[in-house]
Amino acid sequence: MEEKRKRLGQNCKAIWNRRQEVRKKTVGDHIENMINGSFDNLNTFAIAKIVEVDNSNMSCSIQMLDIPELFGTRDEVEVIENVPIAPIFWGSKCKMNAPLSVNDKVLVAFCQHDTFNARNTSEPCEPNSSAKFDINNAIVVGQITSDAEKNISNDFYIAYGGTLVTINDSGVNIKGSSINISGAVSIKGDLEVSGDAKIGGKSFL
């Protein structure tokens, strides 16, 4: 009888230990799944393409490109509308920007809160939504290229259509079908002209 009690006690203890191990593993797995699930819903940066753009209002509609299959079929990737476009530079006195086009690839950031109120005021304000890092909090912050695309020049340059402006240690080079200047022009140094020059409609050739 004593031997049976001893074996029964050992069996009960073994069952209890196994249950504890299973419970610990289940709790650990549950916590891990919760953490992984939180990261799955945390949007940080992504690559997207522009499907519609309003350059005058610096706004566009985008479609995400880096979409894992677990988020659904890629034929169902939604379009995010009214996404603000961050300008290249936008100070109170100096501004610089360039137009974007449909199918341009862009780098998108997802802000901690909805940005509408903050973008349209200069004082601390309450966001319209409490959703954090939501896809609707997207802002286009830059552009990205494919690996196949090559740089036009190693100098600082601006290329638009058939016009190219390059700036380097040698000076400024402008290539285009025409150059229009409005306002007074002051030249210090020599002026070299390879073609005709007209002043007041009068040709110098």
Side-chain angles (χ1 to χ4, degrees), residues 34-174:
M34 288 177 62
I35 294 173
N36 291 337
S38 297
F39 282 128
D40 287 341
N41 295 323
L42 179 64
N43 299 291
T44 52
F45 286 87
I47 295 176
K49 72 174 181 180
I50 292 180
V51 296
E52 189 176 347
V53 63
D54 181 357
N55 283 304
S56 60
N57 291 312
M58 290 189 285
S59 175
C60 66
S61 297
I62 62 172
Q63 188 176 49
M64 308 269 278
L65 294 179
D66 45 353
I67 300 294
E69 269 189 295
L70 59 92
F71 292 127
T73 62
R74 291 179 178 85
D75 293 337
E76 299 172 351
V77 178
E78 65 179 307
V79 172
I80 308 173
E81 300 178 338
N82 301 318
V83 178
I85 301 172
I88 298 172
F89 184 82
W90 206 263
S92 57
K93 294 184 179 180
C94 178
K95 294 175 173 58
M96 180 186 298
N97 202 19
L100 295 176
S101 301
V102 171
N103 290 324
D104 281 352
K105 291 180 182 178
V106 291
L107 185 64
V108 183
F110 300 92
C111 296
Q112 184 176 11
H113 300 109
D114 175 81
T115 64
F116 179 82
N117 288 345
R119 285 186 287 111
N120 293 284
T121 186
S122 298
E123 299 296 330
C125 59
E126 187 73 18
N128 279 337
S129 170
S130 60
K132 293 188 175 183
F133 304 104
D134 189 76
I135 61 171
N136 294 309
N137 299 347
I139 292 182
V140 174
V141 295
Q143 287 191 267
I144 198 75
T145 63
S146 68
D147 293 345
E149 295 185 70
K150 303 301 181 184
N151 201 6
I152 296 175
S153 170
N154 291 328
D155 300 321
F156 175 83
Y157 68 88
I158 301 172
Y160 187 84
T163 301
L164 177 64
V165 180
T166 57
I167 302 174
N168 53 35
D169 293 339
S170 300
V172 180
N173 193 340
I174 303 175

Side-chain angles (χ1 to χ4, degrees), residues 2-19:
E2 185 65 28
E3 185 67 25
K4 287 184 178 180
R5 287 180 181 177
K6 186 176 180 181
R7 285 200 301 267
L8 180 60
Q10 290 174 344
N11 291 337
C12 289
K13 186 176 181 181
I15 292 172
W16 170 257
N17 289 336
R18 282 198 296 269
R19 285 181 177 177

